[in-house]
Amino acid sequence: MRGDDSCRLAWPLDVYEAQCPTRMVLDRIADKWAVLILDRLREGPVRFNHLRRDIKGISQKVLSQTLKKLERDGLLSRAVFPTVPVTVEYALTPLGRTLTDAVAAIAHWAEHNMDAVLAAQAAYDARAGGEAGL
């Protein structure tokens, strides 16, 4: 067993412990690109290039890296089809499906609450600007 698996030895797992492996999972599913990928796969399998077109602003490299990490964590599966050129398709695994409601809620919360967030930022900035002049 690796030295950084100390949290695995003590039950229950504790996300507040710095060395607990749950932190790695939280880092992964809290990543904006992971959230967008998982939400996009909610409706069914999607090809790599389709994901790249759908998720504006993600580079091919970051998309590839994020997909590999999500696959390693068991949240999605990768299928390769022997076409010319090769077709690669990604789909949620049963474990990944357990996250769909939570991921969709986070992704779409931002859409529904952006006006309130922008208003709060403007109010904060106005207060901070007034305090700087004191």
Side-chain angles (χ1 to χ4, degrees), residues 11-83:
W11 293 95
L13 294 171
D14 185 352
V15 296
Y16 296 102
E17 289 295 329
Q19 298 303 313
C20 187
T22 57
R23 292 279 186 99
M24 179 268 312
V25 174
L26 290 176
D27 282 345
R28 182 95 59 246
I29 61 176
D31 174 74
K32 71 178 174 183
W33 300 123
V35 167
L36 294 172
I37 291 166
L38 292 168
D39 191 49
R40 181 59 188 87
L41 293 175
R42 186 178 195 178
E43 300 300 319
V46 179
R47 293 180 179 177
F48 180 90
N49 285 327
H50 198 169
L51 281 170
R52 198 174 71 183
R53 281 192 302 273
D54 285 352
I55 303 172
K56 309 291 189 275
I58 193 169
S59 69
Q60 183 169 337
K61 178 182 177 182
V62 170
L63 176 58
S64 180
Q65 289 172 340
T66 306
L67 289 166
K68 286 177 185 176
K69 290 173 185 176
L70 292 169
E71 182 181 10
R72 182 173 184 262
D73 291 342
L75 301 176
L76 57 81
S77 62
R78 179 178 184 264
V80 179
F81 300 96
T83 57

Side-chain angles (χ1 to χ4, degrees), residues 61-120:
K61 178 182 177 182
V62 170
L63 176 58
S64 180
Q65 289 172 340
T66 306
L67 289 166
K68 286 177 185 176
K69 290 173 185 176
L70 292 169
E71 182 181 10
R72 182 173 184 262
D73 291 342
L75 301 176
L76 57 81
S77 62
R78 179 178 184 264
V80 179
F81 300 96
T83 57
V84 178
V86 172
T87 300
V88 180
E89 192 174 79
Y90 294 88
L92 292 173
T93 62
L95 180 61
R97 288 219 166 276
T98 66
L99 276 173
T100 56
D101 290 340
V103 165
I106 291 169
H108 300 291
W109 178 92
E111 292 173 333
H112 298 301
N113 292 284
M114 202 60 227
D115 288 339
V117 170
L118 291 173

